[in-house]
Amino acid sequence: MNRKKLIHRTIEIDYKQAHRHASGSLSALPIMLEIFEQMRHGSDIFILSKGHAAPAYYAILEELGYKPDISHPHPYRNLDQGIPATTGSLGHGLPIAVGWALANKILGKDVRVYVLLGDGETLEGTTWESLNLAKSLELQNHLIVHIDSNGWQGSCRTICNTDDLLPQIYPVKIHKTKRGAGVRMLEQNESWHTHTITDEEFKTMIEDLK
């Protein structure tokens, strides 16, 4: 998949649907690309716990031949559209992934569940409880956890960094990213959290991508 094309489509979806999460979507995009390249399609499962990165998720699903309903600001479960779980409220995707991975282990299914969280989400109690449970249930062969560590939590810089603590509980993969990566106007710009892209801003961004 062409990353620049996906950045373009991510921005376009966020702009046209006024989802207001372009910058966080772009930091998650390369991680999702990596995950989808590793997945065995038709068996493995991906859950976007960082639900507000939906525009990037939709862009990738479209490239894979799905037709997701891009009007939803967060993923809404629809297997025909390639979306296995509804997410958006932070801290909900990982518990779903743990349950799914446990079921696969019990049933003896050779299925891996991939889940992507944001770094702000790691402060949720459900994240720590889920990772502790995954460790005690020995789900390492069934559950792969990725963290988008872009250094921001909402509209402010990350205050409590958990990057060193999480791997002590469960083998998570932490990605050091930039919010708004690939679009100069957005990169590491605090004013872009929940910002609605204007017509002029969209034109500037698309010109920047040429």
Side-chain angles (χ1 to χ4, degrees), residues 66 76-85 100:
Y66 291 102
Y76 192 85
R77 175 181 164 86
N78 188 316
L79 297 180
D80 291 336
Q81 295 178 8
I83 302 172
W100 214 320

Side-chain angles (χ1 to χ4, degrees), residues 20-109:
R20 305 188 303 162
H21 283 298
S23 58
S25 294
L26 291 177
S27 67
L29 177 59
I31 307 172
M32 282 191 270
L33 273 174
E34 177 182 318
I35 292 171
F36 275 91
E37 287 171 358
Q38 294 173 353
M39 287 175 62
R40 298 166 297 179
H41 296 286
S43 62
D44 291 346
I45 298 162
F46 171 69
I47 295 174
L48 179 63
S49 192
K50 181 184 173 177
H52 50 281
Y57 188 20
Y58 297 152
I60 291 175
L61 288 174
E62 288 177 345
E63 281 294 298
L64 293 173
Y66 291 102
K67 295 181 179 179
D69 183 350
I70 63 174
S71 67
H72 291 296
H74 301 105
Y76 192 85
R77 175 181 164 86
N78 188 316
L79 297 180
D80 291 336
Q81 295 178 8
I83 302 172
T86 299
T87 58
S89 295
L90 298 182
H92 287 190
L94 181 58
I96 296 171
V98 169
W100 214 320
L102 176 59
N104 290 331
K105 181 179 180 180
I106 292 172
L107 295 172
K109 291 185 176 181

Side-chain angles (χ1 to χ4, degrees), residues 51-169:
H52 50 281
Y57 188 20
Y58 297 152
I60 291 175
L61 288 174
E62 288 177 345
E63 281 294 298
L64 293 173
Y66 291 102
K67 295 181 179 179
D69 183 350
I70 63 174
S71 67
H72 291 296
H74 301 105
Y76 192 85
R77 175 181 164 86
N78 188 316
L79 297 180
D80 291 336
Q81 295 178 8
I83 302 172
T86 299
T87 58
S89 295
L90 298 182
H92 287 190
L94 181 58
I96 296 171
V98 169
W100 214 320
L102 176 59
N104 290 331
K105 181 179 180 180
I106 292 172
L107 295 172
K109 291 185 176 181
D110 182 22
V111 176
R112 294 177 299 213
V113 181
Y114 293 82
V115 59
L116 173 59
L117 293 79
D119 51 358
E121 188 175 4
T122 63
L123 300 183
E124 297 285 347
T126 50
T127 297
W128 297 87
E129 293 161 5
S130 297
L131 289 177
N132 273 298
L133 182 60
K135 179 182 179 181
S136 67
L137 294 172
E138 299 180 346
L139 298 180
Q140 288 87 340
N141 294 328
H142 301 272
L143 176 70
I144 296 93
V145 181
H146 292 256
I147 310 289
D148 178 6
S149 182
N150 62 24
W152 294 83
Q153 295 173 348
S155 57
C156 65
R157 291 280 187 175
T158 298
I159 298 171
C160 182
N161 191 311
T162 59
D163 288 355
D164 294 330
L165 297 175
L166 292 171
Q168 296 180 39
I169 300 176

